[in-house]
Amino acid sequence: MINPSAGAINIDFHVNGKSYSMQVEPFKTILEVLRDDLGLTGAKKGCDDGNCGACTVIMDGKAVKACSLLIGQARGKKITTIEGLEDENGLHPLQKAFIDRFAIQCGFCTPGMIMTAKAILDANPNATEEDIREGMHGNICRCTGYVKIVEAVEAARDQMNR
Ligand code: FES
Ligand code: FES
């Protein structure tokens, strides 16, 4: 609903299992609201143009680039960010595998990589190396050369299937 006096919209959505009802400027992206209004700085602003994947979050089960969606597109949706992966058992298997397999160097791409990988494995728990490479083609890493990232996702897949 638009509030003409304030130039803001009311928006209800969910992030990492918490419900939010807030007024925001309609031209803010989901990434800006997550980072600037909610303090969830895990999703990174890389290109801010839909090309690098550093801002990837999961919205209603799909990996999306949060820099490329306006906050109004989150209305009623369930968003998961990297901050929402850890649970009472500790880090998510993907987070552990990225650490154990040395799939992180500067770390800037890592939250987006992990969220994309999670969406791939949630949709297909038996994703092959080819599936993983294809699914992650929109996530750019300037440091690792990708081999260790793919190995980490495969290791997490195997761990989660045990
Ligand atoms: Fe969103 Fe690069 S910051 S795709
Ligand atoms: Fe540096 Fe991927 S670890 S961009």
Side-chain angles (χ1 to χ4, degrees):
M1 178 196 306
I2 293 184
N3 178 342
S5 59
I9 57 172
N10 295 318
I11 180 116
D12 297 313
F13 63 125
H14 313 269
V15 182
N16 299 335
K18 272 176 75 175
S19 297
Y20 292 90
S21 182
M22 53 197 296
Q23 286 220 322
V24 292
E25 294 158 31
F27 297 113
K28 277 193 161 184
T29 64
I30 292 174
L31 182 64
E32 288 168 335
V33 171
L34 290 173
R35 290 180 58 86
D36 302 341
D37 296 297
L38 302 185
L40 296 170
T41 55
K44 299 289 182 267
K45 187 182 276 194
C47 64
D48 204 21
D49 198 20
N51 288 310
C52 75
C55 62
T56 304
V57 299
I58 295 176
M59 186 159 80
D60 282 2
K62 292 209 167 92
V64 297
K65 292 175 177 171
C67 74
S68 299
L69 297 173
L70 293 174
I71 188 59
Q73 293 171 274
R75 181 172 281 121
K77 309 273 190 188
K78 291 186 169 66
I79 292 173
T80 306
T81 71
I82 191 77
E83 290 92 342
L85 289 197
E86 190 173 352
D87 63 16
E88 63 280 2
N89 298 315
L91 293 177
H92 187 278
L94 277 163
Q95 293 173 301
K96 286 186 193 148
F98 269 63
I99 296 168
D100 294 345
R101 298 271 166 165
F102 303 103
I104 303 170
Q105 287 187 29
C106 79
F108 197 81
C109 71
T110 308
M113 289 282 181
I114 289 177
M115 297 316 289
T116 300
K118 182 174 190 302
I120 292 168
L121 295 181
D122 285 349
N124 178 8
N126 297 307
T128 63
E129 178 185 346
E130 194 181 344
D131 296 331
I132 293 164
R133 285 185 179 274
E134 169 64 24
M136 297 182 77
H137 75 274
N139 289 76
I140 292 171
C141 176
R142 292 183 184 276
C143 306
T144 64
Y146 302 100
V147 172
K148 291 190 178 302
I149 289 174
V150 175
E151 286 176 0
V153 178
E154 290 186 284
R157 173 202 61 202
D158 295 344
Q159 173 71 29
M160 291 158 75
N161 283 335
R162 270 191 199 139

